Amino acid sequence: MVRSLLYGPTVRYAREVTMLRGERVDAARNRQGILDAADRLFSETSAPEKISMEDVARAAGLGKGTLFRRFGDRATLIRSVYARRVEPLRRQIESGPPPLGPAAPRQDRVVAILAAIAQLKMDNAYLALALEGGDFVGSASVYSSPSYCDVHQLLTSLLDSELGPGARWPAHALLATVRADLVRYLVEEEGMNGPELRERIAWMVETILPSG
């Protein structure tokens, strides 16, 4: 399950890895160029919804047809860009040392995971807003997306031994504290920084989940 944390389904991930291993050198180069260009554009904009596939193709120096062949649609492209930024965090949660890794005490790990997600969204604010803001045509609710469901499942499992079947609701409540729009508001409007946000996350986790 952690393989797809913040990512998407494990089966899809495995299929994409297999595809990448078999792609030609020029196709791999084009894919990398597209991701680099999209990453740069989303890093520089304050209006992610205005960046089009044409903009990305132009920045990458490629035709729009090449872009669509590699990624299919805008939503897939944005998820692929974000996945590159999430990958180091995913590895730490999956098999890294405490406080993010599996060996950490339960309460410490919940705080660390939420704080790391919040920091990731602070560092990638506009990209995270594009993913959570519903600007994908025909996109489903963020709450039914594979990435949200995977993180929610992990938090539920960490809360379950103490809270039992009722753990699903507080897991949703904890994830609400690191929504991209809320994190952006707290940083830009209330002047909160990463350590302050972590402190408040820790308070909420301690309120919900006793230590021990």
Side-chain angles (χ1 to χ4, degrees):
M1 183 273 294
V2 181
R3 167 66 65 182
S4 59
L5 182 67
L6 307 172
Y7 236 143
T10 302
V11 172
R12 186 179 67 193
Y13 177 84
R15 185 168 60 245
E16 289 176 353
V17 169
T18 301
M19 179 187 70
L20 290 176
R21 286 174 178 168
E23 68 182 355
R24 301 188 315 272
V25 172
D26 58 336
R29 185 167 52 245
N30 285 343
R31 179 183 178 85
Q32 187 65 40
I34 291 167
L35 286 173
D36 289 344
D39 200 320
R40 184 172 63 254
L41 287 175
F42 281 106
S43 295
E44 296 171 350
T45 186
S46 60
E49 71 281 357
K50 295 182 179 179
I51 293 179
S52 66
M53 293 290 269
E54 290 84 351
D55 294 330
V56 176
R58 189 180 308 112
L62 297 169
K64 189 168 67 172
T66 300
L67 180 58
F68 278 99
R69 281 194 300 274
R70 299 312 304 160
F71 293 96
D73 57 32
R74 184 173 177 274
T76 300
L77 173 61
I78 293 177
R79 292 188 187 106
S80 297
V81 173
Y82 196 65
R84 293 205 307 179
R85 302 187 184 188
V86 167
E87 175 63 15
L89 174 57
R90 184 196 65 77
R91 289 198 302 267
Q92 292 178 63
I93 293 173
E94 182 180 57
S95 58
L100 284 169
R106 179 184 53 187
Q107 188 185 90
D108 292 349
R109 193 177 185 210
V110 172
V111 173
I113 289 170
L114 290 168
I117 293 173
Q119 187 63 54
L120 184 74
K121 292 180 180 180
M122 289 172 65
D123 295 340
N124 302 277
Y126 298 122
L127 195 56
L129 285 167
L131 280 169
E132 295 183 14
D135 68 331
F136 301 149
V137 176
S139 65
S141 164
V142 65
Y143 301 107
S144 61
S145 68
S147 56
Y148 182 91
C149 291
D150 285 341
V151 183
H152 179 260
Q153 182 180 339
L154 175 60
L155 292 180
T156 299
S157 70
L158 292 171
L159 300 175
D160 183 67
S161 61
E162 182 70 32
L163 304 179
R168 289 182 55 81
W169 166 248
H172 281 302
L174 289 172
L175 281 172
T177 68
V178 293
R179 274 188 57 93
D181 52 357
L182 176 59
V183 170
R184 182 187 187 187
Y185 172 81
L186 292 174
V187 171
E188 296 186 359
E189 300 299 327
E190 297 194 4
M192 193 176 295
N193 57 32
E196 291 170 335
L197 188 54
R198 182 188 180 95
E199 180 181 336
R200 285 155 179 78
I201 289 171
W203 174 85
M204 187 167 184
V205 172
E206 290 167 7
T207 300
I208 294 173
L209 182 67
S211 60

